[in-house]
Amino acid sequence: METDSPDAAPMRGVDVIKDNLTRLPAKPGVYRMYGDADEVLYVGKARNLKARVSNYARLGGHTQRIARMIALTRRMEFVVTESETEALLLEASLIKILKPRFNVLLRDDKSFPYILIRRDHEAPQIKKYRGSKQDQGDYFGPFASAGAVMRTLDTLQKAFLLRTCEDSVYNARTRPCMLHQIKRCAAPCVGLISAKDYQELADEAADFLRGKGADLQKRLAKEMEEAAEAMDFERAASLRDRIRAIAHVRGSQDVNPDDIEEADIFAISMEGGVSCVQVFFIRAGQNWGASAHYPRHERDQTAEEVLSAFLVQFYDKRPPPRLILVSDMPEQADLIAEALSLKANRKVEIRRPERGSKKDLVTQAARNATEAVSRKLSETASQARLLNEVAKVFELEKPPERIEIYDNSHIQGTNAVGGMVVAGPEGFMKNAYRKFNIKDVTVEPGDDYGMMREVMRRRFNRAKKEREEGNPANWPDLVLIDGGLGQLNAVIEALAEIDLTPDDVTLVSIAKGVDRNAGREQFFRPGRAPFKLPENAPVLYYLQRLRDEAHRWAIGAHRQKRSAAIGKSPLDEIEGIGPARKKALLHHFGSAKGVSRAKVADLMEVDGVNEALAERIHGHFNGG
């Protein structure tokens, strides 16, 4: 792949484009248009760069959006590719990274969860999984949401009795846990099921998730009848419960996929400059949930144009299925299908069904998209009114586009975490939320002011650097701090350390009154007297909701950190102790505390522990 990056010329608009045309090849590639602050305005792809860019040099004939983009252009960059397909994939990747102002942008681009059956352990674990597929095992998905995964996992536990616990918990068990008592785990940790039988359960779960549920149901029904005939009523009852759980999963589909084995369904609805793309996931003949997306685009862009850009960005980091069904045929559908086929290393087909069960699925997705757009328009209008009120209350020049809200969470100083949530014209921006593990060793445990100072230093050091590099998009219009005057002063001190003042960042702290009653909050601003808002004011309810969301996020981060710490064992820190030796030590002494009290001679009685290791263990706990 070749690159061509001409030096910026002191020209504007069409003159910049004409100047670049003299050096452009008639080859496929990707082009970028930059504005005054060196921000990326637009990323585009072309089969013929010279021909495509020459269209921008024409006088007249452009939409208002394109004309504005051309006028703002100050320089351009180009990347030459081997094919138009390669250019399409590169364009999607750059759009997601650079977020250009004039491109259709998939904003809520979260990763979708999978179900993983881990195969790198003697007792396979079933769990929810996000991220790159690094663990060895069988992956099933994507599911539309964490909720869809957890509901399926809950039923799979009843049907297949697979463990969900982490290895550290599994290795430390000396007796069955509560999940075994309520018939959700076969308790392989303490040998209540043989390794062979447990593997069969894992294989059955994998078969079910591959769409072989009907065959499995029939086989289990036959086994249940045989157990009943043999008067093994306990096994028959267990098999009956498993059959019911499998039937529940198979029968609880919101959308019946009929003869579709694997497909993603996309339907778009547009109204008032807002669009929603509704996505259904069909895998192994089962509906694995739906998700709604609201891409950013200009009012003059068509459904075909928006859906085209959406699809390529949607599959930038995800494997596409063999079949993609759409409500509107996207622009350059053949090229997109070719690019996705190249990416998946197998044929991917894009179709707009006209009749039958596939058409019914698309129609249902379209109905959901239309309803979602109506809700979004209503919410946006309400949100706009609230943000106008926020601007009035805090004397902002215009309604805020980005509000950042901060809170800390800890228990007596332990597992301290800072949380940041973000809100804007379209509600909470959950992909912008951040957690801050408190790292400064000079901060005393429980020092809320010290924690807030660290969070602010780290957050605004980064934001300041981004703004200086010409990317001010993440600079907040308003910062809300959960706390009183003390927290506000701590934030002012932290910002002063990195040469920022309250003139650079609008700061407000929100504190409950002395009786801690919601509705009697006091608001503090630098250099101003504290004030209250009327108890029934809609803007007060909105600010309370922002504060409560930050509180929820910080507490959740703290609980995650605390749970991770609880799952650790002091034995994990000793070199030479793996899962087998740790399990043997815990079985022998009953707990890590029992191990810590043991003498060297007692430690040597455990299988696999020689004198050197026994001395190392004893020294770890006794300062040796």
Side-chain angles (χ1 to χ4, degrees), residues 530-547:
F531 65 94
K532 295 181 180 180
L533 293 172
E535 288 188 27
N536 60 350
V539 69
L540 176 59
Y541 296 145
Y542 176 65
L543 294 169
Q544 288 170 349
R545 191 152 58 93
L546 297 183
R547 187 264 320 278

Side-chain angles (χ1 to χ4, degrees), residues 176-211:
C177 68
M178 182 62 71
L179 286 175
H180 174 72
Q181 306 298 332
I182 62 174
K183 299 181 181 179
R184 293 193 177 205
C185 181
C189 54
V190 291
L192 295 188
I193 184 172
S194 69
K196 180 176 177 293
D197 289 344
Y198 187 80
Q199 278 293 345
E200 286 182 7
L201 289 176
D203 293 339
E204 287 177 356
D207 284 343
F208 174 78
L209 289 167
R210 291 189 184 103

